Amino acid sequence: MERSVIIAGFGGQGVILAGKILAQAAMNHGLEVTWLPSYGPEMRGGTANCTVVMANETVGSPIVDEPTSLIAMNLPSLDKFEQMVAKGGTIIVNSSLVNREVARNDLNVIKLPLNDLGAKVGNMRAINMIALGGYVKATGVVPLEVVKETMAQMLEKGGKGKFVPLNAKALDEGYNAAH
Amino acid sequence: MERSVIIAGFGGQGVILAGKILAQAAMNHGLEVTWLPSYGPEMRGGTANCTVVMANETVGSPIVDEPTSLIAMNLPSLDKFEQMVAKGGTIIVNSSLVNREVARNDLNVIKLPLNDLGAKVGNMRAINMIALGGYVKATGVVPLEVVKETMAQMLEKGGKGKFVPLNAKALDEGYNAAH
Amino acid sequence: MPTDLDSMVKVFSRPKSLTEARSTYCPGCQHGILTRIIGQTIDELNIAERTLIIAPVGCSVFAYLWYRCDAVQVAHGRASAVATGIKRADPNLVVLSYQGDGDFASIGTAESIHAANRGENITVIFVNNQVYGMTGGEMAPTTLIGQKTTTTPSGRDAAMFGYPIRFSEMIAQLDAPVYVTRQALYDTKRIMDATKAIKKAFTNQVEGKGYSLVEVLATCPTNWHMKPVDASRHVVDVVTKVYPLGDLVDRG
Amino acid sequence: MPTDLDSMVKVFSRPKSLTEARSTYCPGCQHGILTRIIGQTIDELNIAERTLIIAPVGCSVFAYLWYRCDAVQVAHGRASAVATGIKRADPNLVVLSYQGDGDFASIGTAESIHAANRGENITVIFVNNQVYGMTGGEMAPTTLIGQKTTTTPSGRDAAMFGYPIRFSEMIAQLDAPVYVTRQALYDTKRIMDATKAIKKAFTNQVEGKGYSLVEVLATCPTNWHMKPVDASRHVVDVVTKVYPLGDLVDRG
Amino acid sequence: MPRGMVVIDKERCKGCGLCIAACPQKVLAYSGQLNHSGYNVVHTEHPEACVGCTFCALTCPDIAIEVYREKVAA
Amino acid sequence: MPRGMVVIDKERCKGCGLCIAACPQKVLAYSGQLNHSGYNVVHTEHPEACVGCTFCALTCPDIAIEVYREKVAA
Amino acid sequence: MGEKVLLRGNEVIAEAAIRAGCQCYFAYPITPQAELLEHMAVNMPRLGRTFVQAESELGAINMVYGAASVGVRTMTSSSSPGISLKQEGISYLAGSSLPAVIVNVVRGGPGLGDIAPSQCDYFQATKGGGHGDYHMIVLGPSTVPEAGTLTMLAFDLADKYRTPVMILADGMLGQMMEPVDLPDPIDVASLPKKAWATTGAKGRDPNIILSFDLDPEVLKRMNLELQRRYREIEKNEVRYEEVETGDADIVIAAYGTTARIAKTVIRMARAEGIKLGLFRPITLWPFPYAPLKKLSERVSTVLTVEMSAGQMWEDVRLAVAERAETPFYGEMGGVVPTPRGILREVKKYAH
Amino acid sequence: MGEKVLLRGNEVIAEAAIRAGCQCYFAYPITPQAELLEHMAVNMPRLGRTFVQAESELGAINMVYGAASVGVRTMTSSSSPGISLKQEGISYLAGSSLPAVIVNVVRGGPGLGDIAPSQCDYFQATKGGGHGDYHMIVLGPSTVPEAGTLTMLAFDLADKYRTPVMILADGMLGQMMEPVDLPDPIDVASLPKKAWATTGAKGRDPNIILSFDLDPEVLKRMNLELQRRYREIEKNEVRYEEVETGDADIVIAAYGTTARIAKTVIRMARAEGIKLGLFRPITLWPFPYAPLKKLSERVSTVLTVEMSAGQMWEDVRLAVAERAETPFYGEMGGVVPTPRGILREVKKYAH
Ligand SMILES: Cc1ncc(C[n+]2csc(CCOP(=O)(O)OP(=O)(O)O)c2C)c(N)n1
Ligand SMILES: Cc1ncc(C[n+]2csc(CCOP(=O)(O)OP(=O)(O)O)c2C)c(N)n1
Ligand code: SF4
Ligand code: SF4
Ligand code: SF4
Ligand code: SF4
């Protein structure tokens, strides 16, 4: 069984970190995993994305042409990746910035007003964790607790321990907001 | 029919020019011809040599492992090339500088005291033409007159016309000295 | 808006020699200011039809997109050599070799110095932002002592990495260059000075005078990890102390 | 011979750190004098066992044959980079980067300047004979205006080929070098001065002081088409006018 | 009527803030609005104060600003 | 007895003549003899004039010269 | 270490080099191998080892030449255009028999190209992008963990055969993260001493490092010695992997990232009843001609898949020698073939 | 001009370039191609054309890049190590579709090697010594007159296909003199204008010269266009020579200087009753696979002879595909095989 997600958004929205935390959490949870970023100048000012593949057996291709999920933090990301998502897959949409509906009707679409929820948890930098919380709820690929623990370990290792409570709250917020 | 000669000596002895004049003369005489110098640092201060191949048909290899002749203007040249000369071939030796006999007895050996003859024609720089004159006499590969004319044309073209009489004399001297 | 456009005249607009393409630079990156100054200069000298832009490797790799001029994108560091080839092939062209500090003063050291020494009749703009922007913020030859970059994580240490190089001062030692100057962009006055310098560097070429080099101290807010306004301040307070502004050679 | 060897003492002989190999230089080539001076310096400092000779590409490509020292033959122009690698790998070694003017100041420009700028603790001897010796007398970056070479058959013309480059003056602009000097070999006094300078350059390295550069004006009788004695005269009369002798940096 | 006027191209603006700092009249400020690239763009908070000095435009790296000035009676 | 003496290695000498010019005592001159490499080598034409100053040896690019000097009585 | 960590390919190569005892690292920045440089910048000085950001790729490879001369383990890394600039230096390393490791994190080409993953430098790496008759050992890792183990191996092979060894990776392998068990660091002190190294002529005759002799006969002998060593490497060091080739009718020949993707394709194909296998060269030079030849005797088709216009394809055809069909499927310019795209090609040859 | 003159190969290449309308020549000195530089130094300024002695080979190839961008005919020349330094630039020329001529007067390698003739840069020239999927047209002259005609051709092909073209000569060909009929100079004014050249955007949209695009899909399209052109060149431009192959049992495959020597060997062998022929590729890229394949169907042995460890040999084996024996005889390090030496090898396969 192989699950894959593309997380995409503006440069500053923290998609790379969200992917890293997910990948690390999946690994801690005993899955095989690959994490692949978009890289180089395309990131600068523009958009960024990364792909996480999680599986029970060795991961073949870390590039996926049919991701099982998409987290679209802005409109360009939805435009770019919507068509690729596998039938029956999941899309998390940042409805604060995306002013259109998802066109496909064979997907599980979860709209989260990330910017509003960000304001609610008190920091716009945490919207990536809100989205990730929503993704975890919708797909169940890794338990929320494992993601939380992993996030805490990683931030602490990077000397950013003080942001753990905020991000934990954001994960919960997204988890709860996803239907 | 293919004739080939290696002309070898010290850097300042004019072997490269002698070869060029012979090659040009042979070409003017209607033969196919190649001229190949030793080149690079080995020339500097040390020894120099060149190989001229003359033939009725297209010349195959411009490098010869069995030259039909050798002009050895000094001892190192004789040491280096004596064994290569084809059976029945010709060696012109500068007996002024070479204080040993040619070891092989299957060759036509012509000893010319080039330095003494050079003193005789009045210029040590002309010893290459003396040697060439001897070679022409011994092998008959190109008529002496053609060599003389060619030499004159080449020196004149190079702005050294005033040396033509000296070099003509030197060619004669070598021609006459060769038995 | 309360104003009446008819009663107004446009006093500042996009230079005509620039295309409509949006810049690929980060917010606040001063490479962008240079784009505008160069466009304006090309307009003023009316040379768009014979100007060749050399787009280097670096954040300005896309320079060919921004000018209504022919352009050549070249290998990292070799812009001055390519400029030589172009100018020798067609001396009537006006050639701008636009280069970052990594490009001009590190990998391109030999090409930069020898084009200057030959006195090629070209204009070189050398953007000194003390960092490799494009590749993510590594040390440049111009990086200041103590400055943190991804390859000098504890700050540039002279014993290990050497000193910030004043490349224009080296070029100024040569006999050929007609104009070598160092400019900055940290405020309106400096921007106007730099504009004058760049115009002069182009004019020298148009008049056949020879090699002109305009070094420009610029910011890289992204890799300095500073807000653009703070980055400008940093140029005033710190950078100009190591790289003093002004003309080094003027034989025009 | 009428003299009695027993009543004499040897006051001048082949330095011990030199091998018996004969030099491959042309008659009268001053590269040979430098070989002797370097050998003598190695003897005096007693460092043969830890000296590494870098043999460049050029007429001194055979330098590895002449010293009883380990040696590394390197690519054309890259001697200063190789010296960097060696010295960083083993700082206890004494590294001599011996380079011709084509090697050091043309193809090797970037490596030469950046090794100097990093202040690598090495000794560089840069032999300025204003010509490419090894390849048969082409123009060097140091070739004088009007000088005929095989690639400047009508004499070096500044408009086409640029100016003779004073590379040591450029290096002297950098912050790191501890010693930069220009010496010559045209008479006994100059030979003794050069000997002192070279000893100082080695001593700096042994004492861990940093980068030392000794530029030496040398003759190339072969490609100058001059008798060796006339070539020395030419250095006095002409070459030193363009390349003045003396110390440019001395932070030792 | 103000002596000058600036027009900001919202899609070119990257919200760097250099123009805000360059304006001697404090005409400009962040608008709080994101453009399509996600940047918080600048707007003329105090248009009435503008003198058309062009300082903002000179400093804008994205050439997002056009400047108009009052016609001087001929 | 002369104050100095030079010994020239004939096979190393390339006949460049630098030593002849360097000798303040005019001790050295071309010998007219060619060595095995074909060079006209230098010899001591006036050995008696030699003061052992080493100038010739300092200038010889081929390190072909050794110099001796009279022993000074201890 | 035993502990699994999630790391980028670039970081794993850097860390493996450190654990293999790399004492001196010299490089010039370039995407997509920036993290390799950064990892070294942080960690080499910390360990008292040498990190120099060179003025250029030419500077870097020649610094490597210097450090290798002295006998220490040394490495440089770059990506395609930067590797082109190192070709003269690589030829010198080979000619002078100096051990060194060179990492190429390949990107799309030619020219400036792009920074996306590619395999378009295979020819340059395996046939000799520099001048002269030389070879490097070229290792093509397919996963992040393998990038680590092959980097360790690279240092050993370099020393054993006194030769430059290249790690031929690509942008994807460099950028992606994967769980990896980092290998234990070796004991540098236990490495055999290099008697030929130029460490100072103390108590022995001088050692000389050089790649030339003006006498062709001597240079020929030097070349014959290189060739002798190459034959030895060909005999001892060929490495490859076969996946489900036992009953295969069609075999994909692929290396590196492409081979990894091919493994997914095998699952997909077998699910559809196509007997697909994989032949994966691990040493790209020496290429595993003999095993592929053998395999080609019992399959109908060897489909070469590369992120290139068909470079390894030539070696495949040399091995197969028309015994089987040898079609090619390639993507270029940084486009990575997808499992579905490869499967589509496979189906053309399935009957 | 009808009149036969005795000239060195280096001079003939230089003079042919001038007659082909080469407007700009940039190079850095190196043996054994010094005379080429010297001929240009004397004659280009005399004709009001550009001669620049560059600061290095990197400088030279990038000056060529500049001049080619502007649309003039341009050339550089060097020898092995210098050509290695040009690899990045050559890849850029190919990537940017710029026409230019590059001369390699090959010497013994690897590393500094020596200055004697060699053919050890065949791989570099034909497979791509630089990075990325590109090819140059590579022409291998065998005699001094042919060096002239192929140099003229090189400029035409470069323009026709917008590609770099290499003349792959060797030290012997460069240094030797042979009688030659110099070709008439072309009329430069009659050459077709290059609409793509960056001559100033006057009355048209800007022209852009570039070798990159950060979008892999676009870079792929650029690569596909290159590959399309390569297929066209393969279709149109394959050149080779067959000598006495009609009844041959053994065929020597050789190019350049080695092929010339082989012609002497044919005479010697036939005198001894051995049916020997020669297959001589003139275009080394595109290699004449099809004609050699055809030939291999009716001979017992194709003996490849090179001044290398066996580089063109790979292409020969690709073409022959085990249809005939494919032994190899090579000399290295600047040693030139002698007619007798080759004959000795031939006899091993004669029955
Ligand atoms: C031969 C080569 N080496 C390295 C690179 C990678 N590279 C791209 S841009 C760059 C440096 C850019 O820095 P700079 O010239 O200072 O310009 P900036 O981006 O700061 O404007 C480097 C090293 C390359 N493309 N080619
Ligand atoms: C990459 C490369 N380019 C060119 C050459 C040819 N080459 C050999 S020595 C030399 C120049 C030597 O001149 P210089 O450095 O001044 O030393 P000199 O011989 O005058 O002592 C050149 C260009 C080479 N060997 N390698
Ligand atoms: S990285 Fe720096 S130099 Fe590059 S565009 Fe961004 S701010 Fe400008
Ligand atoms: S060519 Fe010149 S530099 Fe070289 S050895 Fe001869 S005299 Fe000396
Ligand atoms: S300077 Fe330009 S880009 Fe920056 S905030 Fe002002 S208008 Fe926007
Ligand atoms: S200086 Fe030396 S080489 Fe020159 S002539 Fe005197 S002894 Fe001979």
Side-chain angles (χ1 to χ4, degrees), chain E residues 2-6 23 25 27 44 46-53 67-68:
Chain E
R3 286 161 56 198
M5 186 184 78
V6 303
C23 176
Q25 302 294 105
V27 170
T44 49
H46 299 290
E48 67 290 354
C50 181
V51 296
C53 70
V67 184
Y68 294 81

Side-chain angles (χ1 to χ4, degrees), chain G residues 239-248 251-252 254 263 266 276-282 288-296 298-299:
Chain G
R239 284 168 172 80
Y240 63 98
E241 181 191 13
E242 292 193 25
V243 181
E244 308 211 23
T245 51
D247 67 342
V251 160
I252 291 178
K263 289 184 186 174
I266 292 179
L276 182 66
L278 169 69
F279 184 85
R280 175 171 81 92
I282 295 170
Y289 292 112
L292 180 55
K293 176 178 174 169
K294 216 164 146 198
L295 181 57
S296 74
R298 54 190 169 82
V299 300

